[in-house]
């Protein structure tokens, strides 16, 4: 299958790449590697530099500093039409004056593939994305989801080293989006091409990717597997961006045997596994689902806090309680309503409760992303 | 309550319809009358003294009163199509107009493409100059062209004397500006995502221009060409100054009008009207094909953000 040379372990490599627009730094000294056949997502809020990064890989923008290595070769300065990379554009960018089949065959035509050969392969690509019987239509006669499939086929049929997708599902409605997410992962598995996928939907990134790069303000805050990103976020930004997180601030009061204690202003002692520096002011995060409500009201226990209930909400199988700790910090607790959990159903706003968590639930968060390499 | 109101609305609608019909009549009745009188016979008095077989062979001065309907004949078309001054003049005008349309469109296309990529400090002055050629009264350009062309011949020996060439050059000034505006309007609205998609799929700059940009600009190029052709073909002012001894159709017609014209002119005008309608219809069909995809394309980008949330 991989007839193209395996001259490098990485398909794409950013080496301290910086891109400026005027005095705005869109991408700031970013380094990362994309492995062969990997599904990597660039995830981040609007304006954080995802599209700019992607456009630099495609060759539409040139970095101001740093190197972009594609397939082991420095690609800076190579025009887009000489890169072994194809893009699925957010608005599809299908050629309106060409039929679906000609759209898909366009790339092969440029490479000089013979007529019958390229139509044959274009048909196969359309089959791969499950869009057949529409070959002779103009793109304008297709629905959004179908146009999306054509755009995908048009890029995939060239068997590029890397496929770049810029929020390809952004214009689709929720149901179609879920469907296409599954389709995309299936197709990626079938063709084995490296996917670099830009999105600002964290659910999408978590469910589809092999690894996720969380970006903010032109830098990568964390790069890791979905589980790593979710369970062990390194910074408060990542923790907050990927799902909900309760933050507790305090000072490291004890370190011992690979464990540390953080004491908050309200006297809550968080004991967790990991390394920390004594006396340091830190922020720890605990996922709402990792907190439990107990009836016990004993004081002075670690990993427990007394709180007053603000609101309670049923979310079907779960119940969500918002409560305020003694020092005024608000926390969210989400618990499964397994069976007849009478105590939880009895909770009313204003009730005093005790919240508990395991010592592997809290994660220590840095303010700024520390330079990290996996 | 609602009934009289409804009736008033209906009355108002009828009133507007009537008004619209009046406007249309005002616009098109002269043309209809012109076409009708292309089939008019000479006056009974003239016919009484005529013995030949073809009533249109009567000399123009003896035709009698042609402003009233005398009867139906098609012979004027034959006379018009064999007229020794009209036909060469029409051909001259058509040749000049075709040349001016082609050159104007090419220049306009080039300028539109270049302007889209230029930086602001070059683009704005250039743009203003282009607009200026459109708003400056034609008579000014005509006089300026005449002086310029005559003077230029004193310095540049191979510059053509006043004639078809100078008419053509003068008209290209206006035609190119017109073409540029038309093409640019389309080009600016297009964005460059599709060009990027072309590069992305491995086609170089030239191939992308030929396969993507040009087909999408085609409707605008076609309308630019047609517009400059029409402008040039029926232009009177500029040729009147710069024609030298060349006679264009408007010039011939204008001098003919002063001595009284025969229905042969009506016949030729009717034929041109037909030709125009055919050309416009064909252009319309071609453009419609382009526009269907273009409009859906813009609609797509317009609805996308809505669909997102
Ligand atoms: N051509 C450009 N000229 C000037 N500034 C630009 C240009 N392209 C992007 N920027 C700026 O660079 C920053 C990053 O833009 P980018 O398009 O990469 O964001 P993004 O992460 O893709 O956001 P979104 O999720 O909204 O698409 C933004 O502040 C944007 O305004
Ligand atoms: Mg973007």
């Amino acid at each position: 299958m991989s007839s193209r040379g395996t001259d490098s372990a990485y398909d794409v490599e950013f080496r301290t790449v910086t891109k400026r627009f005027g005095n705005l730094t869109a991408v700031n000294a970013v380094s990362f590697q994309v492995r062969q056949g990997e599904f990597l997502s660039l995830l981040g809020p609007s304006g954080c530099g995802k599209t700019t990064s992607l456009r630099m890989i495609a060759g539409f923008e040139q970095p101001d500093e740093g190197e972009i290595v594609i397939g082991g070769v420095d690609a800076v300065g190579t025009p887009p039409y000489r890169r072994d990379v194809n893009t699925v554009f957010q608005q599809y960018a299908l050629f309106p004056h060409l039929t679906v089949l000609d759209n898909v065959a366009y790339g092969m035509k440029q490479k000089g593939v013979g007529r019958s050969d390229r139509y044959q392969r274009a048909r196969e690509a359309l089959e791969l994305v499950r869009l057949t019987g529409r070959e002779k239509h103009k793109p304008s006669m297709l629905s959004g989801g179908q146009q999306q499939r054509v755009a995908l086929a048009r890029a995939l049929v060239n068997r590029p080293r890397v496929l770049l997708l810029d929020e390809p599902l952004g214009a689709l409605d929720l149901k179609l989006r879920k469907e296409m997410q599954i389709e995309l992962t299936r197709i990626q598995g079938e063709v084995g091409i490296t996917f670099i996928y830009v999105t600002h939907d964290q659910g999408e990134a978590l469910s589809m990717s092999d690894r996720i790069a969380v970006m903010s303000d032109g830098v990568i805050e964390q790069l890791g597997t979905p589980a790593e990103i979710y369970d062990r976020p390194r910074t408060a930004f990542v923790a907050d961006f990927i799902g909900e997180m309760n933050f507790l601030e305090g000072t490291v009061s004890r370190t011992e045997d690979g464990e540390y204690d953080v004491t908050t202003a309200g006297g809550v002692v968080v004991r967790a596994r990991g390394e920390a520096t004594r006396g340091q002011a830190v922020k720890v995060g605990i996922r709402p689902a990792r907190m439990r409500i107990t009836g016990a009201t004993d004081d002075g226990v670690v990993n427990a806090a007394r709180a007053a209930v603000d609101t309670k909400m049923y979310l079907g199988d779960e119940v969500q309680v918002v409560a305020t700790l003694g020092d005024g910090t608000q926390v969210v607790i989400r618990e499964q309503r397994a069976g007849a959990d009478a105590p939880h159903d009895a909770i009313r706003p204003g009730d005093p409760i005790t919240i508990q968590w395991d010592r592997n639930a809290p994660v220590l968060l840095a303010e700024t992303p520390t330079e990290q390499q996996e | 309550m609602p009934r009289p109101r409804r009736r008033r609305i209906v009355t108002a609608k009828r009133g507007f319809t009537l008004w619209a019909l009046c406007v249309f009549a005002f616009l098109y009745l002269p043309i209809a009358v012109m076409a009708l009188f292309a089939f008019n016979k000479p006056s009974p008095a003239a016919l009484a003294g005529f013995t030949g077989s073809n009533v249109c062979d009567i000399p123009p001065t003896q035709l009698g009163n042609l402003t009233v309907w005398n009867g139906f004949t098609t012979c004027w078309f034959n006379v018009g199509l064999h007229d020794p001054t009209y036909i060469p003049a029409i051909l001259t005008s058509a040749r000049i107009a075709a040349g001016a349309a082609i050159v104007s469109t090419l220049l306009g296309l080039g300028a539109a493409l270049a302007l889209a990529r230029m930086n602001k400090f070059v683009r704005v002055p250039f743009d203003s100059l282009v607009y200026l050629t459109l708003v400056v009264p034609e008579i000014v350009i005509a006089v300026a062209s005449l002086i310029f062309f005559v003077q230029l011949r004193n310095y540049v020996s191979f510059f053509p004397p006043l004639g078809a060439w100078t008419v053509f050059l003068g008209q290209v000034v206006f035609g190119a500006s017109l073409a540029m505006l038309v093409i640019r309007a389309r080009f600016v609205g297009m964005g460059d995502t599709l060009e990027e998609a072309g590069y992305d799929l491995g086609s170089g700059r030239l191939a992308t221009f030929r396969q993507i940009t040009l087909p999408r600009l085609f409707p605008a190029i076609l309308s630019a060409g047609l517009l400059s052709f029409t402008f040039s073909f029926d232009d009177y002012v500029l040729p009147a100054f710069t024609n030298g001894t060349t006679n264009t159709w408007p010039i011939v017609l204008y001098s003919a009008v002063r001595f009284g014209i025969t229905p042969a002119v009506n016949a030729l005008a009717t034929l041109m009207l037909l030709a125009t309608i055919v050309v416009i219809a064909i252009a319309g069909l071609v453009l419609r094909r382009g526009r269907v995809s273009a409009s859906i394309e813009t609609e797509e980008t317009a609805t996308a953000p809505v669909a997102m949330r």
Side-chain angles (χ1 to χ4, degrees):
Chain A
M1 176 89 245
S2 57
S3 51
R4 48 180 183 269
T6 46
D7 32 13
S8 165
Y10 301 118
D11 266 345
V12 176
E13 208 178 334
F14 267 47
R15 295 184 184 152
T16 53
V17 171
T18 297
K19 174 71 188 175
R20 298 187 193 91
F21 294 109
N23 50 16
L24 180 140
T25 309
V27 173
N28 192 357
V30 163
S31 299
F32 66 89
Q33 289 106 11
V34 188
R35 300 179 189 131
Q36 265 177 25
E38 180 174 40
F39 193 126
L40 181 99
S41 290
L42 295 180
L43 174 68
S46 191
C48 69
K50 308 179 296 284
T51 298
T52 308
S53 305
L54 211 64
R55 288 174 60 82
M56 285 194 287
I57 304 174
F60 300 131
E61 309 275 4
Q62 299 298 334
D64 293 312
E65 283 162 34
E67 284 170 34
I68 295 174
V69 181
I70 301 176
V73 187
D74 186 1
V76 173
T78 310
Y81 41 88
R82 292 219 200 85
R83 295 189 182 203
D84 192 9
V85 165
N86 284 114
T87 309
V88 177
F89 293 85
Q90 178 162 13
Q91 295 302 332
Y92 318 140
L94 298 177
F95 305 127
H97 57 288
L98 300 181
T99 62
V100 166
L101 197 63
D102 280 323
N103 260 285
V104 178
Y106 187 90
M108 288 180 288
K109 187 176 170 195
Q110 308 311 313
K111 290 201 185 102
V113 178
R115 199 183 155 78
S116 61
D117 205 15
R118 64 174 189 257
Y119 283 153
Q120 172 63 29
R121 278 169 61 186
R123 285 209 176 80
E124 283 167 17
L126 285 169
E127 252 163 57
L128 178 71
V129 300
R130 307 221 166 116
L131 186 81
T132 43
R134 296 305 196 104
E135 289 86 349
K136 292 276 165 260
H137 288 95
K138 290 283 171 68
S140 54
M141 297 161 84
L142 304 183
S143 73
Q146 289 169 332
Q147 293 186 28
Q148 174 60 63
R149 285 165 198 264
V150 178
L152 195 60
R154 185 179 70 173
L156 275 176
V157 76
N158 304 298
R159 297 288 148 140
R161 179 183 284 276
V162 182
L163 189 72
L164 308 172
L165 303 102
D166 191 356
E167 305 202 26
L169 311 183
L172 304 181
D173 62 49
L174 194 64
K175 186 166 169 287
L176 206 54
R177 217 160 144 156
K178 295 273 178 240
E179 228 174 274
M180 283 304 291
Q181 287 175 9
I182 296 167
E183 284 284 275
L184 271 176
T185 15
R186 170 186 68 83
I187 290 165
Q188 203 252 345
E190 268 175 49
V191 296
I193 291 174
T194 307
F195 274 34
I196 302 182
Y197 188 94
V198 162
T199 178
H200 60 236
D201 179 333
Q202 43 118 347
E204 205 167 281
L206 285 174
S207 62
M208 297 169 78
S209 327
D210 293 325
R211 288 193 304 157
I212 302 173
V214 183
M215 290 188 76
S216 148
D217 260 342
V219 299
I220 292 185
E221 294 257 339
Q222 188 172 356
L223 197 158
T225 63
E228 276 167 17
I229 299 269
Y230 191 83
D231 294 335
R232 296 278 142 208
R234 284 218 181 79
T235 66
F237 173 82
V238 175
D240 203 29
F241 195 75
I242 308 267
E244 256 179 307
M245 184 65 103
N246 295 307
F247 295 108
L248 298 175
E249 282 176 61
T251 322
V252 180
S253 52
R254 190 187 71 105
T255 58
E256 210 178 286
D257 305 334
E259 282 190 346
Y260 61 88
D261 283 3
V262 174
T263 311
T264 70
V268 176
V269 179
V270 179
R271 177 164 296 171
R273 296 186 207 286
E275 302 297 328
T277 319
R278 247 188 110 142
Q280 206 180 20
V282 293
K283 199 184 236 183
V284 290
I286 306 171
R287 295 275 177 213
R290 307 292 295 265
M291 288 181 157
R292 295 186 307 276
I293 297 169
T294 62
T297 50
D298 39 348
D299 248 328
V301 184
V302 295
N303 286 348
R306 304 220 339 213
V309 175
D310 295 329
T311 60
K312 187 182 73 170
M313 207 189 284
Y314 285 107
L315 309 168
D317 282 345
E318 290 182 322
V319 60
Q320 174 177 300
V321 172
V322 179
T324 308
L325 302 185
D327 59 358
T329 314
Q330 236 181 15
V331 293
V332 180
I333 308 116
R334 209 169 295 135
E335 280 209 84
Q336 293 291 324
R337 287 175 64 226
D341 255 20
H344 293 161
D345 284 355
I347 292 172
R348 297 273 171 276
D351 285 356
I353 51 166
T354 301
I355 306 162
Q356 286 191 337
W357 56 88
D358 291 338
R359 59 186 59 185
N360 57 9
V363 282
L364 191 65
L365 301 168
E367 267 317 313
T368 52
T370 44
E371 222 17 84
Q372 30 117 47
Q373 256 350 296
E374 33 72 54
Chain B
M1 252 297 259
R3 281 217 147 256
R5 177 122 187 245
R6 159 99 36 99
R7 200 168 302 149
R8 216 178 304 146
I9 290 171
V10 170
T11 323
K13 263 192 187 160
R14 286 209 184 115
F16 278 121
T17 312
L18 198 70
W19 175 246
L21 285 178
C22 288
V23 171
F24 272 108
F26 180 76
L27 287 176
Y28 289 105
L29 215 53
I31 295 177
V33 169
M34 180 227 39
L36 179 68
F37 276 78
F39 298 96
N40 200 5
K41 268 186 181 168
S43 68
L47 285 175
F50 183 67
T51 49
S53 59
N54 191 346
V55 292
C56 296
D57 285 344
I58 300 175
T61 46
Q62 295 160 28
L63 286 172
N65 186 6
L66 283 170
T67 55
V68 293
W69 184 249
N70 301 317
F72 183 85
T73 176
T74 56
C75 65
W76 292 118
F77 285 83
N78 196 27
V79 173
L81 286 173
H82 291 94
D83 192 285
T85 46
Y86 293 167
I87 293 305
I90 288 177
L91 289 181
T92 306
S93 274
R95 264 197 291 272
I96 294 176
I102 292 170
V103 172
S104 300
T105 308
L106 288 178
L107 287 178
L109 176 64
L113 293 178
L115 273 183
R117 282 158 228 273
M118 265 180 206
N119 87 35
K120 216 170 81 189
F121 298 102
V122 189
R123 195 181 66 226
V124 172
F126 196 96
D127 246 352
S128 326
L129 281 180
V130 167
Y131 278 106
L132 212 59
T133 58
L134 296 177
V135 292
V136 166
E138 199 187 346
I139 190 90
V140 175
I141 295 183
V143 172
S145 300
L146 173 64
I147 298 170
F148 179 70
F149 291 152
V150 170
Q151 289 289 328
L152 194 62
R153 213 170 135 64
N154 295 336
Y155 301 100
V156 184
S157 56
F158 59 83
F159 191 79
L162 292 183
W165 278 107
T166 51
V167 172
F168 158 82
L169 285 176
Q171 285 178 338
V172 163
V173 172
F174 187 91
S177 301
L178 190 69
M180 197 210 88
L181 275 191
V182 172
I183 296 173
R184 198 160 128 78
R186 171 99 178 114
F187 192 65
V188 166
M190 255 172 25
D192 46 13
T193 329
L194 288 187
E195 275 72 20
E196 286 190 345
Y199 299 146
D200 190 72
L201 292 165
S203 65
R205 298 203 172 269
L206 208 64
T208 304
F209 179 74
R210 202 170 49 75
Q211 296 177 52
I212 312 292
T213 316
L214 218 49
R216 298 181 67 220
L217 280 179
F218 180 70
I221 292 174
L222 188 67
S223 5
L226 286 177
L227 275 177
S228 10
F229 183 91
T230 318
F231 157 76
S232 167
F233 188 77
D234 68 3
D235 186 23
Y236 180 78
V237 179
L238 212 133
F241 280 76
T242 56
N243 67 337
T245 55
T246 305
N247 280 328
T248 67
W249 169 239
I251 288 176
V252 166
L253 205 54
Y254 184 67
S255 45
V257 166
R258 279 183 295 180
F259 304 110
I261 51 171
T262 68
V265 171
N266 295 36
L268 288 176
T270 306
L271 288 179
M272 278 185 220
L273 182 70
L274 277 180
T276 312
I277 291 173
V278 170
V279 170
I280 299 275
I282 292 173
L285 280 181
V286 173
L287 289 182
R288 219 171 69 106
R289 277 180 45 214
R291 201 173 304 132
V292 166
S293 40
S295 70
I296 291 183
E297 193 186 318
T298 46
E299 188 184 297
E300 208 62 50
T301 43
T303 53
V306 180
M308 249 176 80
R309 272 303 103 176

